[in-house]
Amino acid sequence: IVAGKCDIVDCLPENGTAFLNWDSTFVKTRNLKTITIKYGTNSECDILAENIKSEKDFISFDVKTKAGESEQIKANLLGAQNVQNLLGAIACSLELGMNLGEVKNACQKISQDLGAMQLQKTNSGLKIIKSSYTANYHGVITALDYLKIWSGKKAIIMPSFIEIVK
């Protein structure tokens, strides 16, 4: 849900289900009439991520449900921003009947190949983050945070800022 773009959630029937990123201040302040499944990193969430780690070649985190289930999730994705994307997919998957073990196995098969942020390494040791899909504030900060993991020479390639507002 983005400011001014809430039509889908607003049009859900009262017994409809909305999967919502509960880390978003905008989402939390909405007066929603639907059943909501909240995912994010705070204790109010139905699907909670903790112990988030962004490594050179993967991300990992512990996912916990309100029902008390938990698993450590590992995915071959670059950057901690992907945790929110995975949490949304995990919430939907659980609602559709998968269990956390199945979700964990599926996450291990994910690859960064088509992702918005890709890592390229040169023979000279240069690490290049190709982040050319979009250039908004959060995307740039995420790419720069990910670059901190690497030592030595670094470069980031991206288009000009399209969405400069935080």
Side-chain angles (χ1 to χ4, degrees):
I1 297 176
V2 178
K5 298 181 181 178
C6 297
D7 296 337
I8 292 173
V9 173
D10 291 339
C11 292
L12 285 173
E14 286 191 28
N15 64 345
T17 301
F19 297 87
L20 303 175
N21 176 353
W22 214 244
D23 290 340
S24 166
T25 303
F26 175 76
V27 170
K28 289 172 80 169
T29 59
R30 301 260 315 147
N31 182 18
L32 300 169
K33 301 174 192 169
T34 61
I35 299 166
T36 59
I37 295 177
K38 305 167 192 165
Y39 62 87
T41 58
N42 66 66
S43 61
E44 299 173 43
C45 294
D46 302 301
I47 310 298
L48 173 68
E50 296 179 321
N51 303 317
I52 298 169
K53 296 181 181 126
S54 180
E55 303 291 338
K56 291 181 179 178
D57 298 319
F58 66 91
I59 58 171
S60 66
F61 59 96
D62 297 327
V63 64
K64 296 181 180 180
T65 69
K66 284 278 188 190
E69 299 174 283
S70 65
E71 279 285 357
Q72 184 178 55
I73 302 295
K74 180 180 175 186
N76 298 316
L77 296 171
L78 307 179
Q81 79 283 358
N82 286 300
V83 171
Q84 290 296 337
N85 300 332
L86 284 175
L87 283 176
I90 290 168
C92 292
S93 299
L94 294 174
E95 184 69 13
L96 291 171
M98 289 179 73
N99 64 50
L100 271 180
E102 293 169 322
V103 168
K104 176 182 180 173
N105 291 336
C107 287
Q108 291 172 345
K109 297 175 184 174
I110 296 172
S111 71
Q112 185 67 35
D113 296 340
L114 301 175
M117 187 169 70
Q118 297 176 345
L119 174 67
Q120 298 176 345
K121 302 174 196 174
T122 67
N123 291 338
S124 66
L126 180 67
K127 282 78 173 180
I128 301 170
I129 297 296
K130 181 182 174 193
S131 183
S132 57
Y133 177 71
T134 186
N136 61 51
Y137 171 82
H138 296 292
V140 171
I141 296 303
T142 296
L144 293 174
D145 282 344
Y146 174 72
L147 271 179
K148 290 177 187 177
I149 295 171
W150 295 91
S151 60
K153 295 179 182 180
K154 306 170 197 176
I156 186 167
I157 300 169
M158 68 183 127
S160 60
F161 276 113
I162 297 168
E163 305 166 21
I164 195 80
V165 181
K166 289 185 185 182

